[in-house]
Every structure is written in structure tokens, then in C-alpha cells.
Amino acid sequence: MIYLDNAATTKMSDCALKAMMPYFSEIYGNPSSLHSMGQQAAEALFDARQRISSCIGCTPKEITFTSGGSEADNQAIISAAAMGAKKGKKHIISTAFEHHAVLHTLEKLEKQGFVITLLDVGEKGLITAKQVEEAIRPDTCLVTVMYANNEIGTVQPIREIGEVCRNKNVIFHTDAVQAVGHIAINVTEQNIDMLSLSAHKFHGPKGIGALYARKGIPLHTVIEGGAQERGKRAGTENLPAVMGMAAALEEACSKLNENAQKITLLRNKLISGLSKIPHSILNGDEKSRLPGNVNFCFEGIEGESLLLLLDDKGICASSGSACTSGSLDPSHVLLALGRPHEIAHGSLRLSLSEETTEEEIDYTVKVVTEVVSYLRSISPVWRDLESGKKEFIIKEGY
Ligand SMILES: *Cc1c(COP(=O)(O)O)cnc(C)c1O
């Protein structure tokens, strides 16, 4: 199989797997236990926290381990909202194409009386710091903008947005789940107050992530119980997963530039190959995007049928995000770009990793081109478009 769904999840690296093993079978003590086995576990946990914090430019005390990106997003937003509510500030700024872990948390807050402003991301899927600046009000308590979009891969001007928020004294959170381990990040230099990350997006294990919260930002406890994670996230620590996450992050960050260069070349080759398909369009800005993300709309195509046929030919791909596939709603991300429903349905996301080869890219271009052409040949919609009964939305030479 050719795995081009790395934005959904990645394969665990050998180094992450190896780092986890001893913590299942040898050093399995509870870090809260006072005996030596527990203390050995506590030391490993301390060490992992330090290594993870140095990869993103913060201090170990600013890291809270969570069950993944979704929990980190939930905790970040709920914490900032609780702080804001105390001061009578109940306005939050975000974007229309955030991950559902952010959007659904905001919807919940809206029902509790918060006012949410979702910034327009434009046709290219980018916002500006100026948009954020203009949206900030005296009662704004939080700006939450994703670092890189999981469907279309666009990368936002995070440092500039952070600067605006810092100057206006508003907390800035970023869902950096797609960016950590793929793009160089330094929370201090980039004026980031809170950041979510998830190990399984950078070749670490699933079910583990972290929330960075700058010193002085009180976290709201989402899971009540014991005093783990400085009382902010109860439950016995998932030490094997934490050790796997630390190893995966260090590995990803040490090879970051090398991997990004290699993946970007293959991505560009894939984009130029797929652009030759008639009535196709790349979703998201060409330049400000993740090294490994390719996302296209093909007119007259059903995304689901395309995926199934690609699977038959040995290619794992995605249409929209994994969370929305299975539902018939078109992707909220593509709708946010202003793509009409019928176009948003015909989308394909291919996400690369450092293990992707040039042969795989060549094969994928060939197969996608053939499959799109086949699906169009049997589509009544396509017949109407070709005969001129209906007008093409994606014009030729777009
Ligand atoms: C995958 C993802 C999440 C969710 O992370 P989990 O660890 O799967 O909970 C959140 N935000 C973005 C942008 C993601 O890509």
C-alpha cells in the first residue's frame, strides 16, 4: 500500500517504539509511588517533559500531558474562557476552518453566553494579523487560530498574530497539531501563550499529546481526580506513550529541515502532476502550506468514489478530514474557502511523509488521473457539463 494519509495519522517510528518498550515491562511503576520503581518512572517522566519542552522553546513546567490534540484544544479554550469570564470578558476570536476539537468547544461556550467571532479565511485559506487586530474588542479573552490546517495545509502567520495579541493583552492559543514536528516552532519567539500538540501526527503513539501554557496562565482542570500534572489533569500518567512522544518529537525536530526539503520537492511534483487534470483546482495557498499537504477539488467527481477506487489501486488517501468522512456533509474547511457544495464534495487530500518515494508520487499521479477520468466517463453530471447544459465551476486554466 502507498500511504498518503499522514495528516490523519502517521506510522510510529522505530525509535519511538523502542523508547516505549521498557516502560511496559521493566519500569512499569506508578510515578506517584514512593518506592524506587515509582521514582524511576517519575524521573523518566521528568526527563521526557524536559526534552519535549526544549523542542518547542518553553520550560518543563509549562507542559501538561493530555490524551491528545483534542483534549489539549478543549483544555486550552476552556481555561482561557474561565479566566475571561472572571473578568467579564466573554468574546473569543477564531477562524471558520478550525478543527472540530476547537469549533465544537467554541459552540458549547457560545451556548453559555460567550460571543464567538470566526474570521474569514479567504479563498486561499489564510488570515492576516491585521484581521485579528481589527476583530479584538475590549472584552476579548482569547484568540485561537490553528497553526496549520489539517485538510488544506495552509500555515498561518503565527508570530505576527501572537504579537498583535501580546500587544493587546489577549491570550493567544494555537492548535499546532499539524505543525509540530513538521515546521520549526518556538513558542517564546512566536509570542504563543498556549499550544496543542499530538504525538500520532509526528510518528509517535496515538492517545498522547500535550498542552503548553505559558507561565502564569492558570489551567482549568478538565479531568478531576488525583494530583497528577500539577493537579490540572488527573489520572495515572501514560508513561510509555509519553516516552514514545518525546523520542518521536526529538527525532522529528532533529531532521526537520532535511525532511521538509525532501517532502516539499515530492509535494510540488504531485501538485504539478495533478494540476494537469482538466477542471481541477488546488485548495489552499501554494506557498504558505505544510511540506506534505496536497488537496485538490475535481469537478464532477464524488470524493467517496474516488477514495474507494484509489484504495483498490493500493493508495490510502482522504477526502476532507477523517472526522467528517462517513458523513455526507461537505468539508467545512472547503466551504470556508468559498467552494460551492458540489465542488467541495469532489475533494482529495494526499498527505506525504519522509518515507514517501518519487515512484509512489509518479504512480499516484497516473492512477488519480485515470480514476478521475473513469469516474467522469460514467457521471451524468459530467455529461451535462461537457455538453454545455451546465456550466463548469472550475474553469480550465484556473
Ligand atoms: C489530529 C488533529 C487534532 C486532534 O488530535 P487527536 O490527538 O487525534 O485528538 C486536532 N487538531 C488538528 C489540527 C489535528 O490535525
Side-chain angles (χ1 to χ4, degrees):
M1 286 304 270
I2 297 177
Y3 188 75
L4 293 175
D5 200 14
N6 288 281
T9 196
T10 58
K11 179 174 120 178
M12 273 245 295
S13 70
D14 293 341
C15 115
L17 185 60
K18 219 169 124 194
M20 292 173 77
M21 295 312 277
Y23 297 91
F24 288 112
S25 48
E26 291 158 42
I27 309 160
Y28 51 82
N30 187 321
S32 299
S33 297
L34 290 179
H35 50 67
S36 55
M37 239 186 11
Q39 287 317 293
Q40 242 185 312
E43 276 165 31
L45 190 67
F46 181 83
D47 174 61
R49 202 184 301 276
Q50 196 142 26
R51 287 156 58 208
I52 289 165
S53 63
S54 76
C55 288
I56 63 164
C58 68
T59 64
K61 283 186 178 168
E62 293 172 314
I63 292 285
T64 300
F65 294 128
T66 66
S67 64
S70 301
E71 187 187 326
D73 284 343
N74 276 249
Q75 190 169 22
I77 294 167
I78 290 168
S79 299
M83 252 171 92
K86 264 191 204 159
K87 298 182 200 150
K89 294 181 168 190
K90 296 183 91 173
H91 176 238
I92 298 175
I93 298 166
S94 188
T95 74
F97 72 170
E98 296 294 311
H99 190 273
H100 283 134
V102 168
L103 288 178
H104 290 171
T105 307
L106 294 178
E107 281 164 22
K108 216 166 166 179
L109 288 171
E110 199 168 25
K111 289 194 186 109
Q112 295 168 18
F114 281 80
V115 177
I116 315 292
T117 299
L118 296 182
L119 299 175
D120 184 358
V121 298
E123 210 227 318
K124 294 281 178 190
L126 290 174
I127 66 158
T128 62
K130 190 157 174 282
Q131 270 177 289
V132 174
E133 189 165 25
E134 287 169 359
I136 291 178
R137 318 191 312 201
D139 63 339
T140 305
C141 63
L142 169 69
V143 170
T144 173
V145 172
M146 71 199 315
Y147 204 118
N149 185 274
N150 47 304
E151 287 186 39
I152 58 168
T154 49
V155 177
Q156 305 303 326
I158 292 300
R159 195 185 56 76
E160 290 80 358
I161 296 171
E163 197 176 344
V164 162
C165 295
R166 197 61 59 87
N167 290 339
K168 299 258 185 179
N169 217 2
V170 174
I171 290 184
F172 174 44
H173 165 254
T174 184
D175 173 345
V177 172
Q178 289 289 331
V180 172
H182 304 277
I183 298 180
I185 290 178
N186 184 303
V187 292
T188 310
E189 285 169 12
Q190 293 176 293
N191 313 304
I192 299 168
D193 295 316
M194 297 173 114
L195 173 145
S196 309
L197 62 89
S198 176
H200 75 101
K201 302 288 174 73
F202 52 79
H203 302 287
K206 296 168 184 40
I208 188 77
L211 172 60
Y212 148 78
R214 192 157 69 94
K215 187 171 176 279
I217 297 178
L219 287 188
H220 181 84
T221 309
V222 180
I223 297 182
E224 302 287 350
Q228 293 92 351
E229 299 299 300
R230 299 153 61 84
K232 299 306 174 193
R233 205 281 185 177
T236 303
E237 299 87 346
N238 188 348
L239 189 55
V242 167
M243 300 315 283
M245 172 161 70
L249 186 57
E250 276 184 334
E251 189 182 32
C253 291
S254 73
K255 294 184 189 159
L256 199 128
N257 290 330
E258 181 192 326
N259 284 343
Q261 276 180 20
K262 187 188 152 202
I263 299 169
T264 302
L265 283 177
L266 293 176
R267 178 201 73 189
N268 291 346
K269 188 166 194 211
L270 184 54
I271 290 177
S272 86
L274 297 181
S275 299
K276 297 199 176 85
I277 297 177
H279 303 282
S280 67
I281 187 169
L282 177 73
N283 293 311
D285 190 70
E286 306 90 87
K287 293 201 181 73
S288 191
R289 76 187 296 134
L290 286 169
N293 177 287
V294 174
N295 189 313
F296 269 87
C297 280
F298 303 107
E299 186 147 13
I301 295 286
E302 274 288 338
E304 309 272 305
S305 337
L306 181 56
L307 286 190
L308 293 177
L309 290 176
L310 290 181
D311 190 37
D312 268 353
K313 303 268 181 194
I315 299 171
C316 299
S318 156
S319 138
S321 71
C323 326
T324 44
S325 68
S327 83
L328 281 174
D329 292 337
S331 142
H332 71 289
V333 173
L334 297 178
L335 295 181
L337 301 185
R339 300 274 185 255
H341 278 242
E342 55 268 51
I343 294 298
H345 270 302
S347 73
L348 175 69
R349 179 186 71 185
L350 299 164
S351 41
L352 288 59
S353 86
E354 58 275 25
E355 290 192 2
T356 307
T357 65
E358 191 160 5
E359 292 72 46
E360 289 177 338
I361 294 300
D362 291 339
Y363 176 77
T364 301
V365 170
K366 177 177 155 283
V367 170
V368 173
T369 306
E370 285 166 7
V371 169
V372 166
S373 164
Y374 166 71
L375 285 171
R376 283 174 173 172
S377 75
I378 57 166
S379 150
V381 174
W382 185 255
R383 206 175 309 133
D384 287 351
L385 288 165
E386 275 210 309
S387 67
K389 222 188 231 175
K390 258 197 203 158
E391 232 186 287
F392 281 109
I393 295 170
I394 304 176
K395 308 283 184 217
E396 216 28 81
Y398 207 88

